[in-house]
Amino acid sequence: MHANTRAATSSNSHTVPAGMSKDDAIRRTSRILRQLYHREQQWFESRTPEQMQLLTQQGQLSLSEQLHYGELAFVLLHLKPCAIIDFAGDRSQLNSYIAAAINPTLRDLNAVGAANAGVSRNCDGATTACYPRSFRLVCAQISGQLASPEVSSWTGAFVVYDEEWRES
């Protein structure tokens, strides 16, 4: 994944106390993911009707199919190696979405991940969710050729992955 991506920049200035409890880490993470949901809602509400038509592929997709807060939760729990962020109907709006919703969320989540740096958990081979633990989420734009049976090209889309998890 790393060879075909270009990292998006975001600051990591949000701090969380080191050595937080498991319950506190889960509460903070849940709060940050709720904030992402609200950021996504606000971003979509700021779109023009014409932009919304493009984003929903002329009404073929519901707004809920365009939200990514659940996908990031799956990545955090090591239930998915990455989350692809794409608006196939209009990729020209992706940079604005990443800046408004994803980058602030990754900054906040990475502060929690850094606070768990001392947490010793071996999540390799785990068959259930692995959290809390140390992590560093990265958002990068796909610049190489990457395709799937569902999408002929992911070039220009973004991917979020945990650079500390070797399966990402």
Side-chain angles (χ1 to χ4, degrees):
M1 181 111 17
H2 305 284
N4 288 330
T5 58
R6 187 175 64 242
T9 59
S10 66
S11 70
N12 193 8
S13 60
H14 197 73
T15 59
V16 174
M20 73 172 69
S21 71
K22 177 180 178 177
D23 289 343
D24 193 30
I26 292 170
R27 274 192 298 275
R28 287 176 188 259
T29 301
S30 295
R31 186 170 40 246
I32 294 166
L33 290 172
R34 279 192 304 275
Q35 289 171 339
L36 172 57
Y37 172 80
H38 293 296
R39 284 181 181 124
E40 289 181 302
Q41 293 288 336
Q42 290 172 342
W43 186 84
F44 279 107
E45 289 169 2
S46 73
R47 305 293 93 190
T48 66
E50 293 80 16
Q51 289 172 320
M52 285 303 295
Q53 282 295 308
L54 291 170
L55 288 169
T56 61
Q57 297 181 10
Q58 311 307 323
Q60 296 289 327
L61 301 173
S62 69
L63 182 58
S64 64
E65 292 176 282
Q66 300 289 16
L67 302 177
H68 296 92
Y69 67 96
E71 297 295 312
L72 265 59
F74 289 145
V75 172
L76 277 174
L77 294 172
H78 281 181
L79 298 174
K80 290 180 73 169
C82 67
I84 293 180
I85 299 175
D86 190 25
F87 298 135
D90 186 9
R91 286 189 178 147
S92 70
Q93 297 187 64
L94 274 173
N95 286 328
S96 170
Y97 173 79
I98 295 295
I102 300 300
N103 284 345
T105 300
L106 295 187
R107 177 200 63 219
D108 296 346
L109 287 171
N110 284 334
V112 174
N116 285 313
V119 175
S120 177
R121 297 206 51 204
N122 182 0
C123 298
D124 295 337
T127 57
T128 60
C130 181
Y131 201 81
R133 61 179 165 68
S134 175
F135 58 86
R136 170 109 175 88
L137 299 178
V138 175
C139 181
Q141 190 167 32
I142 299 169
S143 59
Q145 288 300 315
L146 179 64
S148 72
E150 298 85 22
V151 178
S152 61
S153 175
W154 290 106
T155 304
F158 286 80
V159 62
V160 174
Y161 61 94
D162 179 357
E163 70 179 7
E164 292 185 11
W165 186 29
R166 69 176 172 220
E167 292 186 28
S168 266

